[in-house]
Amino acid sequence: SQKIEQNSEALNIQEGKTATLTCNYTNYSPAYLQWYRQDPGRGPVFLLLIRENEKEKRKERLKVTFDTTLKQSLFHITASQPADSATYLCAQSGGSYIPTFGRGTSLIVHP
Amino acid sequence: GAGVSQSPSNKVTEKGKDVELRCDPISGHTALYWYRQSLGQGLEFLIYFQGNSAPDKSGLPSDRFSAERTGGSVSTLTIQRTQQEDSAVYLCASSLGNSADTQYFGPGTRLTVL
């Protein structure tokens, strides 16, 4: 079955640097990959969706890439700020109406 | 407009008791999902409702878990004879119903079974 893998170790970076988070899938290429942000005690909030035939998608300081050869999506936050500190979840969808979520990676941006 | 709401926000219960968790989706969203999230774990799919179709219950962990959605809107997740391993945050999400659609999540209900 399809698995979505994200680095379980927290990513610590300095304010102003670019944060890069990784999402790997194990089997078939999903039609869509979505990225969500989750703050403690809250539900996930949608950030970006990228389609299988898209290489890159941008929104303000956010950029997502989709590499079907590497079976990987990268999520970048440029000019990171302490307010960007949160857990970021990757999810695949398209094969069915039920998305599969990764466990998420915690990002900590230090001032 | 209003987002997805869930109640209660916190629920503490004793082992063996039944609990009901409620979800109010965004108006007009035909798809509704229930997930469970344990500490440090990812989102575990429980059940999916789409319009008037029969729900996809493939994620329910045992027959102690059930859910219904009345009138295509409000949903209730019921856990009977709760166990300590049921302790988790239960999240509800709704969407317009296509597989590419954004899921809008509620704040969750934190369930603690003593």
Side-chain angles (χ1 to χ4, degrees), chain A residues 32 34 36 46 49 51 91 93-94 96-97 99 101, chain B residues 28-31 33 35 48 50 93-105:
Chain A
Y32 312 101
Q34 303 186 35
Y36 289 77
F46 172 77
L49 177 148
R51 292 174 168 77
S93 62
S96 78
Y97 287 92
F101 283 82
Chain B
H29 280 190
T30 59
Y33 302 77
Y35 297 91
Y48 162 64
Q50 172 59 52
S94 71
S95 75
L96 288 171
N98 294 316
S99 58
D101 285 332
T102 298
Q103 295 208 342
Y104 293 84
F105 284 84

PDB file of all heavy atoms in Angstrom, chain A residues 32 34 36 46 49 51 91 93-94 96-97 99 101, chain B residues 28-31 33 35 48 50 93-105:
ATOM      1  N   TYR A  32      -2.104  13.901  -6.794  1.00  0.00           N
ATOM      2  CA  TYR A  32      -1.938  15.181  -6.108  1.00  0.00           C
ATOM      3  C   TYR A  32      -1.136  14.974  -4.830  1.00  0.00           C
ATOM      4  O   TYR A  32      -1.281  13.971  -4.146  1.00  0.00           O
ATOM      5  CB  TYR A  32      -3.297  15.777  -5.709  1.00  0.00           C
ATOM      6  CG  TYR A  32      -4.325  15.776  -6.802  1.00  0.00           C
ATOM      7  CD1 TYR A  32      -5.328  14.806  -6.823  1.00  0.00           C
ATOM      8  CD2 TYR A  32      -4.303  16.724  -7.815  1.00  0.00           C
ATOM      9  CE1 TYR A  32      -6.280  14.796  -7.828  1.00  0.00           C
ATOM     10  CE2 TYR A  32      -5.249  16.711  -8.814  1.00  0.00           C
ATOM     11  CZ  TYR A  32      -6.231  15.740  -8.814  1.00  0.00           C
ATOM     12  OH  TYR A  32      -7.170  15.735  -9.811  1.00  0.00           O
ATOM     13  N   GLN A  34      -0.497  17.264  -1.326  1.00  0.00           N
ATOM     14  CA  GLN A  34      -0.932  18.458  -0.612  1.00  0.00           C
ATOM     15  C   GLN A  34      -0.050  18.669   0.611  1.00  0.00           C
ATOM     16  O   GLN A  34       0.424  17.707   1.216  1.00  0.00           O
ATOM     17  CB  GLN A  34      -2.389  18.297  -0.156  1.00  0.00           C
ATOM     18  CG  GLN A  34      -3.367  18.010  -1.290  1.00  0.00           C
ATOM     19  CD  GLN A  34      -4.802  17.992  -0.836  1.00  0.00           C
ATOM     20  OE1 GLN A  34      -5.193  18.741   0.034  1.00  0.00           O
ATOM     21  NE2 GLN A  34      -5.616  17.140  -1.451  1.00  0.00           N
ATOM     22  N   TYR A  36       0.040  20.664   4.381  1.00  0.00           N
ATOM     23  CA  TYR A  36      -0.758  21.309   5.411  1.00  0.00           C
ATOM     24  C   TYR A  36       0.162  21.766   6.533  1.00  0.00           C
ATOM     25  O   TYR A  36       1.204  21.158   6.789  1.00  0.00           O
ATOM     26  CB  TYR A  36      -1.787  20.340   6.004  1.00  0.00           C
ATOM     27  CG  TYR A  36      -2.929  19.971   5.082  1.00  0.00           C
ATOM     28  CD1 TYR A  36      -2.752  19.047   4.054  1.00  0.00           C
ATOM     29  CD2 TYR A  36      -4.183  20.537   5.246  1.00  0.00           C
ATOM     30  CE1 TYR A  36      -3.795  18.699   3.216  1.00  0.00           C
ATOM     31  CE2 TYR A  36      -5.245  20.196   4.410  1.00  0.00           C
ATOM     32  CZ  TYR A  36      -5.035  19.271   3.405  1.00  0.00           C
ATOM     33  OH  TYR A  36      -6.080  18.925   2.576  1.00  0.00           O
ATOM     34  N   PHE A  46      -4.699  23.820   5.178  1.00  0.00           N
ATOM     35  CA  PHE A  46      -4.174  23.611   3.834  1.00  0.00           C
ATOM     36  C   PHE A  46      -3.265  24.762   3.408  1.00  0.00           C
ATOM     37  O   PHE A  46      -3.568  25.940   3.645  1.00  0.00           O
ATOM     38  CB  PHE A  46      -5.332  23.492   2.845  1.00  0.00           C
ATOM     39  CG  PHE A  46      -4.912  23.463   1.403  1.00  0.00           C
ATOM     40  CD1 PHE A  46      -4.385  22.318   0.846  1.00  0.00           C
ATOM     41  CD2 PHE A  46      -5.025  24.590   0.619  1.00  0.00           C
ATOM     42  CE1 PHE A  46      -4.002  22.291  -0.479  1.00  0.00           C
ATOM     43  CE2 PHE A  46      -4.643  24.583  -0.713  1.00  0.00           C
ATOM     44  CZ  PHE A  46      -4.128  23.421  -1.256  1.00  0.00           C
ATOM     45  N   LEU A  49      -1.275  22.673  -3.029  1.00  0.00           N
ATOM     46  CA  LEU A  49      -1.497  21.403  -3.726  1.00  0.00           C
ATOM     47  C   LEU A  49      -0.692  21.429  -5.014  1.00  0.00           C
ATOM     48  O   LEU A  49      -0.652  22.452  -5.713  1.00  0.00           O
ATOM     49  CB  LEU A  49      -2.979  21.213  -4.037  1.00  0.00           C
ATOM     50  CG  LEU A  49      -3.375  19.962  -4.843  1.00  0.00           C
ATOM     51  CD1 LEU A  49      -4.753  19.480  -4.414  1.00  0.00           C
ATOM     52  CD2 LEU A  49      -3.374  20.240  -6.349  1.00  0.00           C
ATOM     53  N   ARG A  51       0.027  19.072  -8.601  1.00  0.00           N
ATOM     54  CA  ARG A  51      -0.429  17.941  -9.399  1.00  0.00           C
ATOM     55  C   ARG A  51       0.748  17.156  -9.944  1.00  0.00           C
ATOM     56  O   ARG A  51       1.852  17.677 -10.087  1.00  0.00           O
ATOM     57  CB  ARG A  51      -1.318  18.427 -10.541  1.00  0.00           C
ATOM     58  CG  ARG A  51      -2.641  18.989 -10.084  1.00  0.00           C
ATOM     59  CD  ARG A  51      -3.457  19.593 -11.205  1.00  0.00           C
ATOM     60  NE  ARG A  51      -4.828  19.858 -10.791  1.00  0.00           N
ATOM     61  CZ  ARG A  51      -5.208  20.878 -10.038  1.00  0.00           C
ATOM     62  NH1 ARG A  51      -4.309  21.732  -9.604  1.00  0.00           N
ATOM     63  NH2 ARG A  51      -6.481  21.028  -9.710  1.00  0.00           N
ATOM     64  N   ALA A  91       0.342  15.092   2.253  1.00  0.00           N
ATOM     65  CA  ALA A  91      -0.727  14.130   2.014  1.00  0.00           C
ATOM     66  C   ALA A  91      -0.826  13.844   0.528  1.00  0.00           C
ATOM     67  O   ALA A  91      -0.676  14.750  -0.295  1.00  0.00           O
ATOM     68  CB  ALA A  91      -2.055  14.659   2.530  1.00  0.00           C
ATOM     69  N   SER A  93      -3.244  12.260  -2.609  1.00  0.00           N
ATOM     70  CA  SER A  93      -4.637  11.975  -2.932  1.00  0.00           C
ATOM     71  C   SER A  93      -4.768  11.788  -4.434  1.00  0.00           C
ATOM     72  O   SER A  93      -3.819  12.029  -5.182  1.00  0.00           O
ATOM     73  CB  SER A  93      -5.545  13.103  -2.453  1.00  0.00           C
ATOM     74  OG  SER A  93      -5.212  14.322  -3.099  1.00  0.00           O
ATOM     75  N   GLY A  94      -5.955  11.337  -4.843  1.00  0.00           N
ATOM     76  CA  GLY A  94      -6.237  11.198  -6.255  1.00  0.00           C
ATOM     77  C   GLY A  94      -6.601   9.782  -6.637  1.00  0.00           C
ATOM     78  O   GLY A  94      -7.463   9.566  -7.472  1.00  0.00           O
ATOM     79  N   SER A  96      -7.930   7.618  -4.618  1.00  0.00           N
ATOM     80  CA  SER A  96      -9.245   7.446  -4.014  1.00  0.00           C
ATOM     81  C   SER A  96      -9.609   8.776  -3.380  1.00  0.00           C
ATOM     82  O   SER A  96      -8.841   9.728  -3.430  1.00  0.00           O
ATOM     83  CB  SER A  96      -9.221   6.338  -2.953  1.00  0.00           C
ATOM     84  OG  SER A  96      -8.648   6.807  -1.757  1.00  0.00           O
ATOM     85  N   TYR A  97     -10.769   8.830  -2.787  1.00  0.00           N
ATOM     86  CA  TYR A  97     -11.188  10.066  -2.142  1.00  0.00           C
ATOM     87  C   TYR A  97     -10.644  10.183  -0.730  1.00  0.00           C
ATOM     88  O   TYR A  97     -10.947  11.137  -0.032  1.00  0.00           O
ATOM     89  CB  TYR A  97     -12.722  10.143  -2.132  1.00  0.00           C
ATOM     90  CG  TYR A  97     -13.279  10.427  -3.498  1.00  0.00           C
ATOM     91  CD1 TYR A  97     -13.638   9.385  -4.350  1.00  0.00           C
ATOM     92  CD2 TYR A  97     -13.405  11.733  -3.950  1.00  0.00           C
ATOM     93  CE1 TYR A  97     -14.123   9.644  -5.617  1.00  0.00           C
ATOM     94  CE2 TYR A  97     -13.890  11.999  -5.210  1.00  0.00           C
ATOM     95  CZ  TYR A  97     -14.247  10.954  -6.041  1.00  0.00           C
ATOM     96  OH  TYR A  97     -14.732  11.214  -7.298  1.00  0.00           O
ATOM     97  N   PRO A  99      -7.421  10.691   1.373  1.00  0.00           N
ATOM     98  CA  PRO A  99      -5.995  11.014   1.315  1.00  0.00           C
ATOM     99  C   PRO A  99      -5.209  10.240   2.360  1.00  0.00           C
ATOM    100  O   PRO A  99      -5.748   9.824   3.380  1.00  0.00           O
ATOM    101  CB  PRO A  99      -5.957  12.514   1.602  1.00  0.00           C
ATOM    102  CG  PRO A  99      -7.210  12.793   2.342  1.00  0.00           C
ATOM    103  CD  PRO A  99      -8.222  11.802   1.899  1.00  0.00           C
ATOM    104  N   PHE A 101      -1.977  10.660   4.800  1.00  0.00           N
ATOM    105  CA  PHE A 101      -1.123  11.690   5.391  1.00  0.00           C
ATOM    106  C   PHE A 101       0.167  11.079   5.914  1.00  0.00           C
ATOM    107  O   PHE A 101       0.189   9.952   6.421  1.00  0.00           O
ATOM    108  CB  PHE A 101      -1.845  12.376   6.556  1.00  0.00           C
ATOM    109  CG  PHE A 101      -2.884  13.365   6.139  1.00  0.00           C
ATOM    110  CD1 PHE A 101      -4.157  12.941   5.791  1.00  0.00           C
ATOM    111  CD2 PHE A 101      -2.597  14.720   6.103  1.00  0.00           C
ATOM    112  CE1 PHE A 101      -5.124  13.846   5.403  1.00  0.00           C
ATOM    113  CE2 PHE A 101      -3.559  15.633   5.713  1.00  0.00           C
ATOM    114  CZ  PHE A 101      -4.817  15.199   5.365  1.00  0.00           C
TER     115      PHE A 101
ATOM    116  N   GLY B  28     -22.558  23.236   2.590  1.00  0.00           N
ATOM    117  CA  GLY B  28     -22.352  22.981   1.167  1.00  0.00           C
ATOM    118  C   GLY B  28     -21.289  21.952   0.868  1.00  0.00           C
ATOM    119  O   GLY B  28     -21.182  21.485  -0.276  1.00  0.00           O
ATOM    120  N   HIS B  29     -20.499  21.584   1.852  1.00  0.00           N
ATOM    121  CA  HIS B  29     -19.491  20.538   1.641  1.00  0.00           C
ATOM    122  C   HIS B  29     -20.151  19.167   1.709  1.00  0.00           C
ATOM    123  O   HIS B  29     -20.777  18.811   2.699  1.00  0.00           O
ATOM    124  CB  HIS B  29     -18.393  20.639   2.704  1.00  0.00           C
ATOM    125  CG  HIS B  29     -17.394  21.695   2.413  1.00  0.00           C
ATOM    126  ND1 HIS B  29     -16.212  21.823   3.123  1.00  0.00           N
ATOM    127  CD2 HIS B  29     -17.363  22.679   1.473  1.00  0.00           C
ATOM    128  CE1 HIS B  29     -15.513  22.829   2.625  1.00  0.00           C
ATOM    129  NE2 HIS B  29     -16.189  23.365   1.644  1.00  0.00           N
ATOM    130  N   THR B  30     -19.986  18.410   0.632  1.00  0.00           N
ATOM    131  CA  THR B  30     -20.649  17.105   0.590  1.00  0.00           C
ATOM    132  C   THR B  30     -19.810  15.997   1.213  1.00  0.00           C
ATOM    133  O   THR B  30     -20.332  14.960   1.584  1.00  0.00           O
ATOM    134  CB  THR B  30     -20.972  16.716  -0.867  1.00  0.00           C
ATOM    135  OG1 THR B  30     -19.745  16.667  -1.612  1.00  0.00           O
ATOM    136  CG2 THR B  30     -21.912  17.727  -1.512  1.00  0.00           C
ATOM    137  N   ALA B  31     -18.503  16.204   1.302  1.00  0.00           N
ATOM    138  CA  ALA B  31     -17.624  15.169   1.852  1.00  0.00           C
ATOM    139  C   ALA B  31     -17.264  15.503   3.299  1.00  0.00           C
ATOM    140  O   ALA B  31     -17.002  16.660   3.636  1.00  0.00           O
ATOM    141  CB  ALA B  31     -16.351  15.044   1.024  1.00  0.00           C
ATOM    142  N   TYR B  33     -14.952  13.760   6.644  1.00  0.00           N
ATOM    143  CA  TYR B  33     -13.992  12.748   7.071  1.00  0.00           C
ATOM    144  C   TYR B  33     -13.809  12.821   8.585  1.00  0.00           C
ATOM    145  O   TYR B  33     -13.804  13.911   9.161  1.00  0.00           O
ATOM    146  CB  TYR B  33     -12.614  13.000   6.445  1.00  0.00           C
ATOM    147  CG  TYR B  33     -12.554  13.028   4.944  1.00  0.00           C
ATOM    148  CD1 TYR B  33     -12.984  14.136   4.224  1.00  0.00           C
ATOM    149  CD2 TYR B  33     -12.006  11.959   4.235  1.00  0.00           C
ATOM    150  CE1 TYR B  33     -12.893  14.171   2.835  1.00  0.00           C
ATOM    151  CE2 TYR B  33     -11.906  11.989   2.854  1.00  0.00           C
ATOM    152  CZ  TYR B  33     -12.358  13.092   2.164  1.00  0.00           C
ATOM    153  OH  TYR B  33     -12.258  13.121   0.799  1.00  0.00           O
ATOM    154  N   TYR B  35     -10.831  11.576  11.359  1.00  0.00           N
ATOM    155  CA  TYR B  35      -9.477  11.063  11.555  1.00  0.00           C
ATOM    156  C   TYR B  35      -9.181  10.987  13.043  1.00  0.00           C
ATOM    157  O   TYR B  35      -9.816  11.660  13.857  1.00  0.00           O
ATOM    158  CB  TYR B  35      -8.429  12.007  10.941  1.00  0.00           C
ATOM    159  CG  TYR B  35      -8.494  12.192   9.444  1.00  0.00           C
ATOM    160  CD1 TYR B  35      -9.247  13.219   8.888  1.00  0.00           C
ATOM    161  CD2 TYR B  35      -7.772  11.370   8.587  1.00  0.00           C
ATOM    162  CE1 TYR B  35      -9.294  13.418   7.514  1.00  0.00           C
ATOM    163  CE2 TYR B  35      -7.810  11.562   7.212  1.00  0.00           C
ATOM    164  CZ  TYR B  35      -8.578  12.585   6.692  1.00  0.00           C
ATOM    165  OH  TYR B  35      -8.618  12.775   5.334  1.00  0.00           O
ATOM    166  N   TYR B  48     -15.417   7.997   6.045  1.00  0.00           N
ATOM    167  CA  TYR B  48     -15.623   9.017   5.015  1.00  0.00           C
ATOM    168  C   TYR B  48     -17.082   8.975   4.562  1.00  0.00           C
ATOM    169  O   TYR B  48     -17.604   7.912   4.230  1.00  0.00           O
ATOM    170  CB  TYR B  48     -14.667   8.738   3.854  1.00  0.00           C
ATOM    171  CG  TYR B  48     -15.000   9.388   2.538  1.00  0.00           C
ATOM    172  CD1 TYR B  48     -15.010  10.773   2.393  1.00  0.00           C
ATOM    173  CD2 TYR B  48     -15.264   8.609   1.404  1.00  0.00           C
ATOM    174  CE1 TYR B  48     -15.275  11.362   1.166  1.00  0.00           C
ATOM    175  CE2 TYR B  48     -15.540   9.187   0.172  1.00  0.00           C
ATOM    176  CZ  TYR B  48     -15.541  10.567   0.055  1.00  0.00           C
ATOM    177  OH  TYR B  48     -15.797  11.144  -1.154  1.00  0.00           O
ATOM    178  N   GLN B  50     -19.775  10.765   1.774  1.00  0.00           N
ATOM    179  CA  GLN B  50     -19.889  11.563   0.558  1.00  0.00           C
ATOM    180  C   GLN B  50     -21.361  11.605   0.163  1.00  0.00           C
ATOM    181  O   GLN B  50     -21.937  10.605  -0.277  1.00  0.00           O
ATOM    182  CB  GLN B  50     -19.053  10.958  -0.569  1.00  0.00           C
ATOM    183  CG  GLN B  50     -19.264  11.609  -1.926  1.00  0.00           C
ATOM    184  CD  GLN B  50     -18.952  13.082  -1.949  1.00  0.00           C
ATOM    185  OE1 GLN B  50     -17.878  13.510  -1.527  1.00  0.00           O
ATOM    186  NE2 GLN B  50     -19.884  13.897  -2.427  1.00  0.00           N
ATOM    187  N   ALA B  93     -12.970  16.688   9.133  1.00  0.00           N
ATOM    188  CA  ALA B  93     -12.660  17.564   8.003  1.00  0.00           C
ATOM    189  C   ALA B  93     -13.789  17.477   6.989  1.00  0.00           C
ATOM    190  O   ALA B  93     -14.445  16.441   6.859  1.00  0.00           O
ATOM    191  CB  ALA B  93     -11.337  17.175   7.346  1.00  0.00           C
ATOM    192  N   SER B  94     -14.003  18.562   6.260  1.00  0.00           N
ATOM    193  CA  SER B  94     -14.982  18.521   5.180  1.00  0.00           C
ATOM    194  C   SER B  94     -14.373  19.097   3.909  1.00  0.00           C
ATOM    195  O   SER B  94     -13.374  19.827   3.956  1.00  0.00           O
ATOM    196  CB  SER B  94     -16.260  19.275   5.564  1.00  0.00           C
ATOM    197  OG  SER B  94     -16.054  20.678   5.615  1.00  0.00           O
ATOM    198  N   SER B  95     -14.951  18.729   2.781  1.00  0.00           N
ATOM    199  CA  SER B  95     -14.479  19.253   1.498  1.00  0.00           C
ATOM    200  C   SER B  95     -15.642  19.245   0.519  1.00  0.00           C
ATOM    201  O   SER B  95     -16.716  18.691   0.796  1.00  0.00           O
ATOM    202  CB  SER B  95     -13.307  18.435   0.952  1.00  0.00           C
ATOM    203  OG  SER B  95     -13.758  17.203   0.424  1.00  0.00           O
ATOM    204  N   LEU B  96     -15.384  19.830  -0.665  1.00  0.00           N
ATOM    205  CA  LEU B  96     -16.434  19.896  -1.675  1.00  0.00           C
ATOM    206  C   LEU B  96     -16.729  18.533  -2.298  1.00  0.00           C
ATOM    207  O   LEU B  96     -17.752  18.362  -2.949  1.00  0.00           O
ATOM    208  CB  LEU B  96     -16.049  20.906  -2.758  1.00  0.00           C
ATOM    209  CG  LEU B  96     -16.115  22.361  -2.328  1.00  0.00           C
ATOM    210  CD1 LEU B  96     -15.511  23.259  -3.390  1.00  0.00           C
ATOM    211  CD2 LEU B  96     -17.559  22.758  -2.046  1.00  0.00           C
ATOM    212  N   GLY B  97     -15.796  17.587  -2.159  1.00  0.00           N
ATOM    213  CA  GLY B  97     -16.115  16.232  -2.569  1.00  0.00           C
ATOM    214  C   GLY B  97     -15.280  15.655  -3.690  1.00  0.00           C
ATOM    215  O   GLY B  97     -15.429  14.489  -4.030  1.00  0.00           O
ATOM    216  N   ASN B  98     -14.366  16.439  -4.261  1.00  0.00           N
ATOM    217  CA  ASN B  98     -13.480  15.883  -5.279  1.00  0.00           C
ATOM    218  C   ASN B  98     -12.151  15.512  -4.653  1.00  0.00           C
ATOM    219  O   ASN B  98     -11.747  16.093  -3.652  1.00  0.00           O
ATOM    220  CB  ASN B  98     -13.243  16.895  -6.410  1.00  0.00           C
ATOM    221  CG  ASN B  98     -14.521  17.161  -7.173  1.00  0.00           C
ATOM    222  OD1 ASN B  98     -15.265  16.247  -7.491  1.00  0.00           O
ATOM    223  ND2 ASN B  98     -14.776  18.431  -7.460  1.00  0.00           N
ATOM    224  N   SER B  99     -11.452  14.554  -5.276  1.00  0.00           N
ATOM    225  CA  SER B  99     -10.235  14.034  -4.650  1.00  0.00           C
ATOM    226  C   SER B  99      -9.122  15.066  -4.581  1.00  0.00           C
ATOM    227  O   SER B  99      -8.207  14.939  -3.782  1.00  0.00           O
ATOM    228  CB  SER B  99      -9.743  12.794  -5.400  1.00  0.00           C
ATOM    229  OG  SER B  99      -9.491  13.108  -6.758  1.00  0.00           O
ATOM    230  N   ALA B 100      -9.193  16.111  -5.393  1.00  0.00           N
ATOM    231  CA  ALA B 100      -8.166  17.145  -5.350  1.00  0.00           C
ATOM    232  C   ALA B 100      -8.532  18.267  -4.401  1.00  0.00           C
ATOM    233  O   ALA B 100      -7.754  19.199  -4.216  1.00  0.00           O
ATOM    234  CB  ALA B 100      -7.938  17.722  -6.743  1.00  0.00           C
ATOM    235  N   ASP B 101      -9.705  18.182  -3.814  1.00  0.00           N
ATOM    236  CA  ASP B 101     -10.170  19.307  -3.022  1.00  0.00           C
ATOM    237  C   ASP B 101      -9.434  19.450  -1.713  1.00  0.00           C
ATOM    238  O   ASP B 101      -9.060  18.477  -1.056  1.00  0.00           O
ATOM    239  CB  ASP B 101     -11.663  19.179  -2.734  1.00  0.00           C
ATOM    240  CG  ASP B 101     -12.507  19.506  -3.946  1.00  0.00           C
ATOM    241  OD1 ASP B 101     -12.042  20.303  -4.788  1.00  0.00           O
ATOM    242  OD2 ASP B 101     -13.603  18.953  -4.048  1.00  0.00           O
ATOM    243  N   THR B 102      -9.284  20.710  -1.314  1.00  0.00           N
ATOM    244  CA  THR B 102      -8.744  21.022  -0.004  1.00  0.00           C
ATOM    245  C   THR B 102      -9.650  20.471   1.077  1.00  0.00           C
ATOM    246  O   THR B 102     -10.874  20.561   0.984  1.00  0.00           O
ATOM    247  CB  THR B 102      -8.670  22.546   0.154  1.00  0.00           C
ATOM    248  OG1 THR B 102      -7.794  23.059  -0.832  1.00  0.00           O
ATOM    249  CG2 THR B 102      -8.189  22.936   1.529  1.00  0.00           C
ATOM    250  N   GLN B 103      -9.043  19.916   2.109  1.00  0.00           N
ATOM    251  CA  GLN B 103      -9.794  19.491   3.277  1.00  0.00           C
ATOM    252  C   GLN B 103      -9.717  20.606   4.316  1.00  0.00           C
ATOM    253  O   GLN B 103      -8.654  21.132   4.599  1.00  0.00           O
ATOM    254  CB  GLN B 103      -9.215  18.211   3.857  1.00  0.00           C
ATOM    255  CG  GLN B 103      -9.337  17.026   2.907  1.00  0.00           C
ATOM    256  CD  GLN B 103      -9.415  15.717   3.635  1.00  0.00           C
ATOM    257  OE1 GLN B 103      -9.070  15.604   4.791  1.00  0.00           O
ATOM    258  NE2 GLN B 103      -9.877  14.695   2.958  1.00  0.00           N
ATOM    259  N   TYR B 104     -10.864  20.939   4.868  1.00  0.00           N
ATOM    260  CA  TYR B 104     -10.929  21.952   5.919  1.00  0.00           C
ATOM    261  C   TYR B 104     -11.177  21.221   7.233  1.00  0.00           C
ATOM    262  O   TYR B 104     -12.198  20.533   7.380  1.00  0.00           O
ATOM    263  CB  TYR B 104     -12.060  22.944   5.637  1.00  0.00           C
ATOM    264  CG  TYR B 104     -11.809  23.790   4.412  1.00  0.00           C
ATOM    265  CD1 TYR B 104     -12.135  23.317   3.138  1.00  0.00           C
ATOM    266  CD2 TYR B 104     -11.215  25.046   4.512  1.00  0.00           C
ATOM    267  CE1 TYR B 104     -11.885  24.076   2.012  1.00  0.00           C
ATOM    268  CE2 TYR B 104     -10.968  25.810   3.390  1.00  0.00           C
ATOM    269  CZ  TYR B 104     -11.302  25.318   2.137  1.00  0.00           C
ATOM    270  OH  TYR B 104     -11.054  26.070   1.011  1.00  0.00           O
ATOM    271  N   PHE B 105     -10.232  21.391   8.141  1.00  0.00           N
ATOM    272  CA  PHE B 105     -10.280  20.654   9.399  1.00  0.00           C
ATOM    273  C   PHE B 105     -10.901  21.485  10.512  1.00  0.00           C
ATOM    274  O   PHE B 105     -10.749  22.710  10.573  1.00  0.00           O
ATOM    275  CB  PHE B 105      -8.869  20.245   9.837  1.00  0.00           C
ATOM    276  CG  PHE B 105      -8.306  19.090   9.068  1.00  0.00           C
ATOM    277  CD1 PHE B 105      -7.684  19.275   7.844  1.00  0.00           C
ATOM    278  CD2 PHE B 105      -8.389  17.796   9.577  1.00  0.00           C
ATOM    279  CE1 PHE B 105      -7.163  18.207   7.131  1.00  0.00           C
ATOM    280  CE2 PHE B 105      -7.867  16.720   8.875  1.00  0.00           C
ATOM    281  CZ  PHE B 105      -7.259  16.928   7.653  1.00  0.00           C
TER     282      PHE B 105
END
